[in-house]
Amino acid sequence: MGLYLIRPDNKTQYGRCLAMTTYLNNIHIVTEDLRIPSDTPGIELYVRNKRPASMNTFSNEKTIVMVHGATYPIGSLYDVELDGFTFLDYLASHGYDVYAVDVRGYGGSTRPPEMEQPADLNPPLVRTETGVRDFGAAIDYVLKRRNLTKVNVLGMSWGGTVAGAYTSRNNDKVNKLTLVAPQWLSSKPVPIDTGGPLGSYRLVAVGSTMERWLSAAPEHKRGDLIPDGWFEQWVNATLASDPGSLTDHPEHIRATNGPILDIREYWTAGKAFYDPKDITVPVLLVHAEWDIDVPLELAQHFFTSLTGAAYRRWVEIGEGTHMVLLEKNRLQAFQAIRGFLDEAYAPAK
């Protein structure tokens, strides 16, 4: 158990980013875009795999399966090229066989037919339980493909709930669990839930999200939180994840409302979707100081609830928001995650 606060040093960070870009340019990374069956006829899941071209042996310890949050798919959160590399590139370049899966309704995965109809004609789609099932399908696929018994698991925000709930039920299939700003019980409204009736999905105006994104930071710190050009690259990648953003709903992507309904029926109703004490594998919690979606006190409550973990660690990133993986200090989060996965550690007995 431990809490580490990482304070940013912008000059050092910039130097490290340049060094990382050079390093990655010297490593050939293989990318595979896969479509695998879900447990529902007609629904396929999109999985992206990145790994070093030189990798020819695979292990539990060096394999990762990742899942996204409630709004943006894997290509928008984990595989946007900023400063010459993505989060998936970073992990693959350090010897990991990395898989990221879009839950149905997101990114490259099949969208339920209700998403082609007006949102108010159907109830909220893709509840958290469905996300857990889709994530489990991806993990089982990877285990079979690589002839493994376990993988490392990573989830962000709602994806943290998906990954945490999956692990609580399947500790035998998980080597280590990394959670970036996972959901937890809240006595206050959660910003992603703007209130009102919930249709099957919502339309997100991607290009106008910067104001909300930056509003989490102190006003005098907003100017350099997202380096020049990064937001525009992120917008382009996010819009590209939903083909309807060019035709049916220009400049918007669709995001399912099942996770929002679960906020109302679980997280703000005092009911946890799963019990963290049922997780017995090592856990890393990554959190940023300006996260208003998962405030500090929620992260602390969640962390102290992980009483069954083999060991647990909390890394707090200074000067970052809920979207820290896409901001100027993202490399600090990347390094903390890689360090946790790389280490061979067990508490003394």
Side-chain angles (χ1 to χ4, degrees):
M1 172 178 172
L3 168 62
Y4 297 83
L5 174 63
I6 299 181
R7 299 187 182 278
D9 176 338
N10 289 339
K11 291 183 179 179
T12 301
Q13 268 311 99
Y14 179 69
R16 286 176 179 169
C17 283
L18 289 178
M20 180 55 58
T21 302
T22 302
Y23 176 62
L24 284 167
N25 286 339
N26 294 322
I27 295 178
H28 182 205
I29 296 173
V30 174
T31 301
E32 284 191 86
D33 292 324
L34 309 164
R35 296 188 71 84
I36 68 171
S38 73
D39 61 4
T40 304
I43 299 288
E44 289 187 323
L45 305 176
Y46 170 74
V47 178
R48 171 159 286 188
N49 173 224
K50 288 193 171 184
R51 64 186 186 277
S54 59
M55 178 177 277
N56 50 33
T57 59
F58 303 94
S59 68
N60 298 348
E61 294 76 18
K62 286 298 214 178
T63 306
I64 310 170
V65 183
M66 306 163 66
V67 64
H68 55 82
T71 304
Y72 305 112
I74 58 172
S76 179
L77 287 177
Y78 303 139
D79 211 29
V80 179
E81 186 173 303
L82 305 172
D83 249 10
F85 65 98
T86 77
F87 184 30
L88 298 188
D89 293 335
Y90 175 87
L91 293 169
S93 73
H94 286 90
Y96 284 89
D97 188 22
V98 190
Y99 293 83
V101 58
D102 279 327
V103 171
R104 69 186 70 188
Y106 291 83
S109 291
T110 304
R111 286 173 172 78
E114 295 91 338
M115 292 186 75
E116 305 305 327
Q117 303 171 13
D120 59 0
L121 295 183
N122 294 287
L125 291 168
V126 190
R127 303 288 298 265
T128 303
E129 189 62 43
T130 303
V132 174
R133 286 170 25 223
D134 285 354
F135 191 46
I139 290 174
D140 286 344
Y141 171 83
V142 173
L143 292 174
K144 183 176 180 180
R145 186 185 201 213
R146 298 303 193 205
N147 193 28
L148 305 175
T149 58
K150 296 183 179 184
V151 295
N152 296 299
V153 165
L154 183 149
M156 173 189 168
S157 193
W158 175 69
T161 295
V162 171
Y166 174 85
T167 302
S168 72
R169 306 172 189 177
N170 299 275
N171 285 280
D172 60 320
K173 294 182 179 181
V174 178
N175 183 51
K176 293 179 181 178
L177 171 64
T178 298
L179 301 174
V180 181
Q183 292 175 302
W184 190 240
L185 300 171
S186 178
S187 60
K188 301 176 182 177
V190 176
I192 194 175
D193 181 5
T194 57
L198 292 176
S200 55
Y201 61 91
R202 60 208 141 93
L203 290 176
V204 181
V206 179
S208 60
T209 58
M210 180 180 275
E211 183 177 355
R212 179 185 181 275
W213 185 339
L214 294 178
S215 69
E219 189 171 354
H220 69 286
K221 290 287 190 177
R222 295 173 188 171
D224 68 346
L225 184 64
I226 307 172
D228 290 344
W230 286 24
F231 181 76
E232 292 73 19
Q233 288 173 267
W234 175 79
V235 167
N236 291 337
T238 303
L239 290 175
S241 73
D242 187 342
S245 67
L246 297 175
T247 54
D248 300 332
H249 39 85
E251 305 302 315
H252 292 69
I253 64 166
R254 291 165 291 175
T256 65
N257 268 336
I260 309 302
L261 183 57
D262 285 335
I263 287 174
R264 297 181 182 184
E265 294 189 355
Y266 287 92
W267 304 113
T268 57
K271 181 181 177 183
F273 182 78
Y274 70 99
D275 193 337
K277 71 175 174 51
D278 292 335
I279 295 172
T280 60
V281 303
V283 181
L284 171 66
L285 170 63
V286 177
H287 184 264
E289 70 168 317
W290 297 331
D291 190 333
I292 59 173
D293 293 81
V294 182
L296 186 65
E297 61 271 19
L298 266 66
Q300 182 178 30
H301 187 191
F302 173 78
F303 184 77
T304 56
S305 299
L306 291 163
T307 55
Y311 65 93
R312 51 191 159 130
R313 180 173 305 147
W314 177 357
V315 172
E316 185 76 7
I317 307 295
E319 298 192 11
T321 74
H322 194 63
M323 302 288 277
V324 66
L325 297 183
L326 297 162
E327 298 169 352
K328 66 177 184 179
N329 290 316
R330 68 182 187 134
L331 194 57
Q332 296 185 47
F334 296 179
Q335 290 170 338
I337 292 166
R338 179 172 65 89
F340 170 69
L341 296 176
D342 280 352
E343 69 188 11
Y345 172 79
K349 295 183 179 179

